[in-house]
């Protein structure tokens, strides 16, 4: 989401924009193929998730609503963010010249695609982080306070939190370009994405850095809190498992313990947290490197695209960890499988 003074396509010579992924024609083809496959994987996986969650009464729960919100955020990355990169890279590869809009930042033209795509990617990333945080809170209450789960976690409250997370995340996403004339958006030649960058000033002023640092400050705070809550929940689950092995539970004890499905769901959310943390860590390292004055062009590409691939991981995690989700997804896909079998 954040780039400092890395070059736009206008500044590229072959040496300048020759990152490790794109130096040869074969590498460029592989990069575009990867992007196209990522689009299909993201669309397929998250559409299946939405179909399962919205089409199955069992998943019409606060947790199901949060998973649907996460799927919509991931779906937006596959619909808007990645296709623009595919278009720009295919255009560059076919014509040997970049699209004209990539030669300027958003302050230099009246309309720039990155004015839309940049905030969408940033906003959806922030939505994903807040949603995983809410999922962690929801599961921690189910594990630590099972008797209070239904009274504290309601569908109405969850819906309000989801709306607030989307509004707040996209407000943060547009803050840099709304509240600072020193920050613009551009299609970056290193990350191959729309990123926040300097407008017309050659060095980041302190005010611009303060605004851009809202992103890592927000992300690190929520991710840190999410990790801590997951550790507490998983520790409680471990203690509960030990008690079940060594103590004969009375009827009164069993009513205050989390159910097996709650424990399973908490472990699934823990896996989601680990996956997102792993995909977000390279961006965190890159931002710190930028603050210290390092451009890390090659690393920038891998950091941003590792984060983008997170958009198709969730359905894989659900399928592996949640048997009910897996069975429902198989039922949804069965008619398509039968049609293909009949044709062959």
């Amino acid at each position: 989401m954040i780039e400092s003074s890395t070059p736009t396509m206008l500044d590229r010579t072959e040496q300048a924009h020759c990152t490790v992924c794109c130096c040869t024609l074969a590498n460029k083809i592989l990069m575009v193929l990867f992007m196209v496959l990522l689009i299909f994987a993201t669309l397929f996986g998250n559409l299946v998730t939405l179909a399962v969650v919205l089409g199955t009464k069992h998943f019409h729960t606060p947790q199901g609503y949060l998973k649907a919100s996460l799927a919509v955020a991931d779906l937006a990355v596959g619909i808007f963010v990645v296709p623009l990169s595919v278009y720009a890279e295919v255009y560059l590869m076919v014509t040997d010249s970049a699209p004209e809009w990539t030669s300027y930042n958003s302050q230099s033209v009246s309309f720039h695609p990155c004015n839309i795509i940049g905030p969408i990617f940033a906003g959806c990333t922030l939505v994903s982080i807040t949603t995983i945080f809410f999922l962690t809170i929801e599961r921690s209450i189910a594990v630590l306070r099972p008797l209070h789960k239904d009274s504290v976690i309601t569908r109405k409250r969850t819906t309000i939190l989801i709306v607030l997370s989307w509004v707040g995340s996209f407000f943060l996403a547009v803050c840099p370009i709304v509240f600072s004339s020193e920050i613009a958006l551009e299609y970056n030649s290193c990350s191959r994405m729309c990123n926040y960058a300097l407008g017309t000033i050659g060095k980041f002023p302190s005010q611009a850095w303060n605004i851009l640092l809202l992103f890592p400050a927000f992300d690190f705070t929520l991710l840190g809190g999410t990790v801590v809550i997951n550790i507490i929940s998983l520790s409680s689950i471990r203690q509960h498992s030990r008690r079940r092995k060594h103590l004969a539970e009375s009827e009164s004890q069993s009513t205050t313990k989390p159910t097996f499905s709650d424990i399973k769901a908490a472990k699934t959310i823990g896996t989601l947290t680990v996956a997102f943390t792993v995909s977000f860590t390279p961006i965190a390292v890159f931002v710190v490197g930028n603050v210290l004055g390092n451009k890390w062009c090659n690393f920038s590409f891998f950091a941003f695209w590792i984060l983008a691939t997170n958009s198709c991981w969730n359905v894989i995690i659900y399928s592996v960890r949640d048997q009910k989700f897996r069975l429902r997804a198989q039922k949804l896909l069965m008619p398509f499988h039968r049609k293909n079998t009949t044709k062959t």
Side-chain angles (χ1 to χ4, degrees):
M1 294 177 294
I2 303 171
E3 288 271 4
S4 61
S5 53
T6 46
T8 63
M9 284 192 175
L10 179 65
D11 305 319
R12 296 188 199 182
T13 61
E14 186 64 30
Q15 183 67 25
H17 78 275
C18 181
T19 56
V20 69
C21 64
C22 317
C23 287
T24 66
L25 180 61
N27 285 349
K28 292 176 182 177
I29 293 173
L30 287 174
M31 177 190 67
V32 172
L33 181 61
F34 159 74
M35 292 178 179
V36 172
L37 289 175
L38 179 60
I39 291 173
F40 282 107
T42 301
L43 295 181
F44 174 78
N46 289 290
L47 286 174
V48 168
T49 299
L50 286 174
V52 170
V53 172
L54 299 179
T56 309
K57 190 174 181 180
H58 170 77
F59 292 101
H60 292 177
T61 61
Q63 182 186 162
Y65 288 2
L66 290 168
K67 287 181 177 179
S69 176
L70 187 60
V72 171
D74 291 337
L75 203 58
V77 174
I79 293 174
F80 299 105
V81 179
V82 184
L84 183 68
S85 296
V86 171
Y87 169 75
E89 296 308 318
V90 170
Y91 190 100
L92 175 64
M93 188 168 56
V94 172
T95 66
D96 203 30
S97 62
E100 187 177 357
W101 55 268
T102 63
S103 302
Y104 309 97
N105 63 40
S106 59
Q107 291 184 349
S108 304
V109 292
S110 57
F111 173 77
H112 198 290
C114 287
N115 274 337
I116 299 173
I117 302 303
I120 286 178
F121 186 43
C124 288
T125 301
L126 296 172
V127 167
S128 296
I129 294 175
T130 54
T131 303
I132 291 174
F133 178 74
F134 290 150
L135 279 166
T136 303
I137 294 291
E138 188 264 345
R139 284 299 89 192
S140 68
I141 294 174
V143 170
L144 300 175
R145 295 288 185 269
L147 293 179
H148 300 86
K149 179 182 70 172
D150 293 333
S151 60
V152 174
I153 307 168
T154 64
R155 285 184 287 187
K156 181 178 179 180
R157 289 175 181 174
T158 303
T159 303
I160 293 172
L161 286 175
I162 289 172
V163 172
L164 290 176
S165 75
W166 278 85
V167 172
S169 295
F170 275 84
F171 174 76
L172 280 176
V174 300
C175 273
I177 50 178
V178 171
F179 295 108
S180 177
S181 59
E182 301 157 344
I183 300 171
L185 284 152
E186 66 177 19
Y187 186 80
N188 190 268
S189 63
C190 291
S191 67
R192 257 64 184 188
M193 279 188 178
C194 290
N195 298 138
Y196 298 95
L198 284 176
T200 56
I201 303 172
K203 184 180 179 181
F204 264 114
S206 59
Q207 183 184 1
W209 267 124
N210 290 336
I211 294 173
L212 286 180
L213 285 174
L214 283 172
F215 290 119
F218 181 84
D219 298 340
F220 296 158
T221 300
L222 281 189
L223 277 178
T226 301
V227 170
V228 170
I229 295 169
N230 270 295
I231 291 173
I232 294 172
S233 297
L234 294 175
S235 297
S236 176
I237 291 171
R238 191 176 295 109
Q239 291 174 4
H240 173 58
S241 299
R242 288 174 181 172
R243 289 195 205 102
R244 291 182 64 180
K245 290 179 181 179
H246 299 291
L247 298 175
E249 296 180 323
S250 67
E251 185 178 351
S252 61
Q253 285 177 316
S254 61
T255 58
T256 61
K257 301 302 180 184
T259 64
F260 177 77
S261 61
D262 285 335
I263 293 173
K264 193 79 173 175
K267 291 180 178 179
T268 301
I269 303 308
T271 306
L272 277 179
T273 302
V274 171
F276 194 89
T277 302
V278 168
S279 65
F280 188 78
T281 298
I283 290 290
V285 174
F286 174 74
V287 171
V288 172
N290 259 213
V291 172
L292 298 176
N294 299 305
K295 294 182 180 179
W296 290 343
C297 191
N298 287 326
F299 183 70
S300 169
F301 174 84
F302 290 107
F304 278 92
W305 285 99
I306 287 172
L307 180 61
T309 57
N310 182 259
S311 298
C312 62
W313 288 8
N314 296 337
V315 68
I316 298 173
I317 295 172
Y318 301 151
S319 299
V320 172
R321 301 287 310 179
D322 190 335
Q323 185 180 14
K324 291 181 179 179
F325 179 93
R326 181 168 63 250
L327 292 174
R328 180 58 183 166
Q330 289 173 349
K331 286 182 180 179
L332 285 172
L333 297 175
M334 192 65 70
F336 298 101
H337 176 70
R338 286 175 180 171
K339 286 182 181 179
N340 292 332
T341 304
T342 304
K343 288 181 181 179
T344 55

